[in-house]
């Protein structure tokens, strides 16, 4: 199994992104050939867009059954590619004298520009010439359900044999990181919509957008913050420039989440000698073998890659807080902007609770983090974002939190020492919910980043003071513990501050015999918004082999370093 997995990882680039630089007679021109004198009239006008392709290393790869040049960027992210593709097309339209405006589309990865349908021939001609000479691709996308439903009252679009009457086009190029493990292709292309003039002083879009498919024809162009056109740019660390648009699109709509959102991680290095001495000197012992397992405290470098996933796929996060016990990873830059390391001593109100080796106790104190925003995501270090996601996956634009119940049901027997720590804590949560609200709960939460509200956590501490204090004082996970994370979701829901959400999620266990196959599928498809790779079922005999497998998978999935890492010496 392991050998087969290694073969799949090692040959993945060959199978999906094979280089063919030595193959003669390629069907596409060399990447940065400008239009020649033989090009149609206007070729000289499009020279400026070529600056986006010069000085970039490129090689031809096989992608989606086509051989195309891929341009290497030093540290690409989805938002950077969004901006680059927008600027390429905007620069081209400016060069040929076509007025355009940014449109707030539904996609997190594809920018949208609007132009008059009267300019369709010029736009398609210029884009076609640019794509032909740079290895790009010009295509006609079909609208997604949200973009094409009833308000425009138009039938489904048939396939077009040419571009003479298409309602929109998409131009895309292949961008990749230096390792070529990540390729940004058609899903990140820039779309140009051709807006029609019905003769009543308006322009009408060929499909829906997030604000309005109808605008005033003769209104003056304005500029608006880039975050209005891509929720990925909603945070202070993910800045898009002001974009040209129309007044109708210059204000946020009701789906805009305008409040700050932070992220909190808890992390431990179970191999640290000082930490091991503190644990050995602890005055109590775990009640359950699961709490004593060394695998629970093992560091497999997951945090490094989880932070990379956060940097790439949720750049709207305002600030990251890393909660540790007098530790920090050797690769972490503690002075990186946007990152604060919080020690347990600065977190716990009662120093008598320390040291603690109880995740339930640590989680009970998260609302005490100084400077933490009201809305935040709580990550375990084995949780990852698998693709670009907006704040709305975790929070409603009006501030309500989302939560994600799992399909795991906990029995309704009384809590006992036979229960695992997670199950015991859930049963204790259930008792409090039943007493406070007259409702019973049976479903645990999925292992996804948890949307949390600081005020709800503080309210829980006040409402359930004795049980909360008992959890905080437990050195190891105890049968009397609460899971404040799970309790927070149900408490917020039953007090009108949270709603159930949906999440394309994958849950993997290091101890499962099919781990290799599932990792390979996850890497090939990259279609999950979140995923968790838990250490459940991992035996000591298999630990080294599975840890190596995990590390190679994560490096392939997240090859681009985050700004929170100490730069590697060259």
């Amino acid at each position: 199994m392991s050998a087969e997995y290694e073969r799949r990882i090692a040959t993945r680039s060959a199978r999906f992104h094979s280089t063919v630089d030595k193959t003669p007679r390629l069907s596409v021109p060399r990447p940065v050939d400008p239009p020649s004198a033989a090009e149609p009239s206007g070729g000289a006008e499009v020279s400026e867009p070529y600056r986006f392709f010069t000085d970039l290393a490129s090689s031809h790869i096989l992608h989606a059954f086509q051989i195309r040049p891929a341009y290497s960027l030093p540290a690409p992210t989805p938002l950077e590619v969004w901006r680059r593709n927008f600027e390429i097309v905007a620069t081209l339209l400016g060069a040929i004298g076509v007025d355009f405006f940014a449109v707030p589309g539904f996609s997190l990865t594809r920018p949208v520009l609007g132009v008059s349908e009267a300019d369709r021939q010029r736009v398609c001609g210029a884009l076609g010439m640019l794509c032909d000479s740079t290895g790009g691709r010009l295509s006609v996308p079909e609208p997604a359900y949200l973009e094409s439903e009833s308000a425009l009252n138009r039938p489904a679009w048939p396939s077009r044999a040419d571009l003479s009457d298409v309602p929109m086009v998409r131009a895309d190029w292949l961008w990749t990181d230096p390792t070529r493990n990540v390729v940004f292709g058609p899903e990140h292309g820039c779309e140009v919509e051709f807006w029609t003039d019905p003769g009543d002083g308006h322009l009408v879009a060929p499909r829906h957008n997030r604000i309005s498919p109808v605008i005033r024809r003769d209104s003056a162009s304005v500029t608006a913050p880039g975050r209005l056109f891509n929720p990925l740019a909603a945070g202070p660390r993910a800045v898009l420039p002001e974009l040209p648009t129309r007044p109708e699109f210059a204000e946020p709509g009701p789906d805009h989440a305008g409040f700050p959102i932070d992220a909190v991680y808890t992390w431990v290095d179970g191999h640290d000698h000082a930490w091991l001495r503190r644990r050995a000197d602890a005055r109590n012992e775990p009640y359950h073998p699961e709490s004593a397992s060394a695998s629970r405290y093992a560091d497999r470098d997951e945090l490094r890659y989880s932070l990379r996933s956060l940097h790439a796929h949720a750049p709207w996060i305002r600030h990251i807080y890393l909660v540790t016990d007098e530790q920090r990873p050797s690769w972490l830059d503690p002075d990186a902007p946007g990152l604060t390391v919080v020690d347990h001593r600065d977190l716990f109100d009662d120093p008598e609770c320390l040291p603690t080796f109880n995740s339930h106790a640590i989680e009970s104190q998260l609302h005490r983090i100084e400077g933490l925003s009201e809305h935040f995501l709580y990550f375990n270090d084995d949780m990852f974002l698998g693709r670009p996601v907006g704040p709305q996956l975790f929070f409603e634009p009006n501030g309500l939190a989302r939560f994600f119940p799992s399909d795991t049901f906990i029995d309704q027997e009384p809590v006992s020492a036979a229960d695992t720590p997670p199950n015991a804590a859930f049963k204790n949560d259930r008792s409090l919910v039943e007493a406070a609200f007259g409702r019973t709960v049976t479903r645990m939460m999925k292992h996804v980043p948890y949307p949390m509200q600081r005020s709800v956590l503080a309210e829980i501490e006040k409402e359930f003071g004795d049980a909360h204090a008992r959890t905080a004082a437990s050195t190891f996970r105890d049968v009397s513990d609460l899971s404040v994370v799970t309790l927070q979701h149900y408490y917020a829901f039953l007090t009108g501050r949270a709603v159930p959400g949906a999440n394309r999620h994958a849950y993997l266990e290091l101890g499962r015999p099919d781990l290799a196959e599932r990792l390979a599928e996850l890497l090939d498809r990259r279609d999950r918004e979140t995923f968790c790779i838990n250490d459940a079922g991992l035996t000591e005999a298999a630990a080294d082999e599975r840890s190596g497998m995990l590390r190679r998978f994560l490096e392939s999935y997240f090859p681009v370093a985050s700004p929170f890492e100490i730069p590697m010496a060259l």
Side-chain angles (χ1 to χ4, degrees):
M1 176 186 65
S2 176
E4 173 63 14
Y5 172 75
E6 297 299 333
R7 184 191 68 77
R8 293 182 70 179
I9 294 296
T11 61
R12 178 179 180 274
S13 294
R15 291 191 294 114
F16 292 99
H17 316 298
S18 304
T19 58
V20 292
D21 296 298
K22 298 180 181 179
T23 303
R25 298 191 303 275
L26 292 175
S27 61
V28 294
R30 296 204 314 271
V32 196
D33 282 348
S36 67
E39 294 285 0
S41 173
E45 294 178 310
V46 299
S47 59
E48 189 172 352
Y50 286 86
R51 65 183 172 86
F52 292 96
F53 302 93
T54 57
D55 301 325
L56 291 179
S58 66
S59 60
H60 286 81
I61 65 174
L62 178 64
H63 182 80
F65 306 106
Q66 291 185 331
I67 296 173
R68 300 173 57 189
Y71 298 91
S72 178
L73 301 174
T77 65
L79 187 61
E80 179 190 354
V81 171
W82 190 99
R83 175 175 178 170
R84 177 174 285 268
N85 283 340
F86 180 98
E87 290 179 344
I88 290 171
V89 176
T91 301
L92 174 67
L93 297 180
I96 63 175
V98 170
D99 292 331
F100 64 90
F101 50 91
V103 178
F106 290 100
S107 173
L108 293 173
T109 59
R110 294 189 299 274
V112 182
L113 300 177
V115 303
S116 169
E117 69 171 350
D119 293 315
R120 176 166 34 219
Q121 184 174 356
R122 294 174 64 200
V123 171
C124 290
L127 277 174
M129 182 170 63
L130 179 64
C131 288
D132 284 346
S133 56
T134 58
R137 188 179 69 166
L138 190 63
S139 60
V140 182
E142 289 290 338
Y145 175 76
L146 287 175
E147 300 168 335
S148 62
E149 207 200 348
S150 59
L152 298 186
N153 194 27
R154 292 176 181 234
W157 298 346
S159 298
R160 261 63 171 189
D162 57 52
L163 302 180
S164 61
D165 64 344
V166 295
M168 72 181 71
V169 292
R170 178 188 300 166
D172 71 83
W173 294 265
L174 300 186
W175 310 100
T176 185
D177 72 292
T179 71
R180 290 185 301 163
N181 276 304
V182 177
V183 177
F184 301 91
E187 188 177 347
H188 297 261
C190 182
E191 296 180 344
V192 180
E193 298 177 342
F194 302 112
W195 289 52
T196 59
D197 181 356
D200 62 356
H202 295 88
L203 292 176
V204 180
R207 60 179 178 179
H208 287 303
N209 56 62
R210 289 188 286 113
I211 299 295
S212 173
V214 180
I215 62 174
R216 293 181 295 278
R217 182 187 60 205
D218 299 324
S219 60
S221 178
V222 299
T223 60
R227 67 178 182 276
L228 300 184
F229 303 92
N230 191 334
L232 292 181
R237 295 186 299 106
V239 178
L240 286 177
E242 296 267 320
L243 302 180
T245 189
R246 292 299 187 94
E248 290 88 346
F249 302 141
E251 297 293 336
D255 63 340
H256 179 71
F259 45 85
I261 303 172
D262 292 339
V264 174
Y265 282 86
T266 52
W267 177 82
V268 64
D269 178 6
H271 300 296
D272 176 52
H273 293 296
W275 182 88
L276 286 169
R277 284 195 297 271
R278 290 195 296 275
R279 187 173 183 272
D281 293 340
R283 58 187 177 272
N284 297 315
E285 289 294 329
Y287 87 93
H288 194 280
E290 183 179 301
S291 295
S293 172
S295 67
R296 290 200 63 252
Y297 306 106
D299 175 34
R300 303 178 186 85
D301 236 7
E302 297 102 327
L303 177 64
R304 179 200 295 263
Y305 298 100
S306 185
L307 286 172
R308 289 185 181 186
S309 81
L310 194 68
H311 168 65
H313 296 149
W316 40 266
I317 288 292
R318 184 190 70 165
H319 199 90
I320 297 170
Y321 295 91
L322 175 62
V323 177
T324 73
D325 182 10
E326 302 180 44
Q327 299 175 319
R328 71 170 176 85
S330 60
W331 50 264
L332 187 77
D333 181 0
D335 299 318
L339 173 71
T340 300
V341 178
V342 180
D343 191 80
H344 289 181
R345 293 170 295 182
D346 300 320
L347 187 66
F348 278 76
D349 188 49
D350 183 0
E352 293 299 316
C353 296
L354 298 176
T356 186
F357 309 93
N358 179 1
S359 58
H360 292 149
I362 298 165
E363 291 164 356
S364 74
Q365 305 295 303
L366 297 182
H367 60 291
R368 300 185 186 280
I369 295 175
E370 184 176 352
L372 180 65
S373 60
E374 164 65 11
H375 300 84
F376 68 96
L377 296 180
Y378 171 48
F379 283 76
N380 301 140
D381 64 1
D382 60 359
M383 296 174 177
F384 307 89
L385 301 178
R387 57 183 296 110
V389 296
Q392 295 85 352
L393 179 65
F394 303 103
F395 295 98
E396 293 282 356
N398 62 2
L400 295 181
R402 296 181 184 271
F403 64 100
F404 307 99
S406 76
D407 294 329
T408 301
F409 289 79
I410 303 303
D411 68 76
Q412 295 183 280
E413 297 298 319
V415 65
S416 74
D419 288 313
T420 63
N423 288 7
F426 183 88
K427 289 182 177 182
N428 294 326
D429 291 348
R430 178 164 58 204
S431 295
L432 297 183
V433 170
E434 289 174 346
F437 301 103
R439 305 287 183 90
T440 190
V441 295
T442 56
R443 296 173 67 181
M444 298 188 78
M445 297 295 154
K446 290 181 178 179
H447 289 261
V448 303
Y450 303 110
M452 310 284 279
Q453 293 158 294
R454 193 178 183 185
S455 61
V456 174
L457 292 173
E459 192 172 318
I460 285 173
E461 180 179 21
K462 182 178 179 180
E463 185 72 20
F464 308 113
D466 290 343
H468 192 279
R470 188 164 53 248
T471 299
S474 296
T475 304
F476 295 97
R477 294 199 290 184
D478 190 79
V479 71
S480 66
D481 281 354
L482 302 177
S483 171
V484 173
V485 173
T486 301
L487 180 58
Q488 191 260 185
H489 292 314
Y490 282 119
Y491 187 93
F493 174 62
L494 293 170
T495 56
R497 287 172 281 183
V499 293
N503 186 319
R504 287 181 57 83
H505 174 67
Y507 177 76
L508 289 73
E509 294 181 349
L510 289 179
R512 287 284 299 268
D514 63 347
L515 177 66
E517 290 76 16
R518 294 200 64 192
L519 288 176
E521 180 182 17
L522 196 60
L523 184 63
D524 289 345
R525 298 181 66 172
R526 294 179 180 265
D527 62 347
R528 299 295 161 169
E529 292 168 322
T530 64
F531 61 88
C532 174
I533 307 177
N534 195 269
D535 58 16
L538 182 62
T539 63
E540 186 175 350
D544 289 344
E545 181 246 342
R546 293 302 174 93
S547 295
M549 185 187 299
L550 174 65
R551 175 65 180 266
R552 287 183 287 277
F553 163 79
L554 292 174
E555 184 62 35
S556 295
Y557 204 114
F558 304 111
V560 178
S562 78
F564 312 112
E565 299 175 40
I566 297 173
M568 296 180 62
L570 299 178

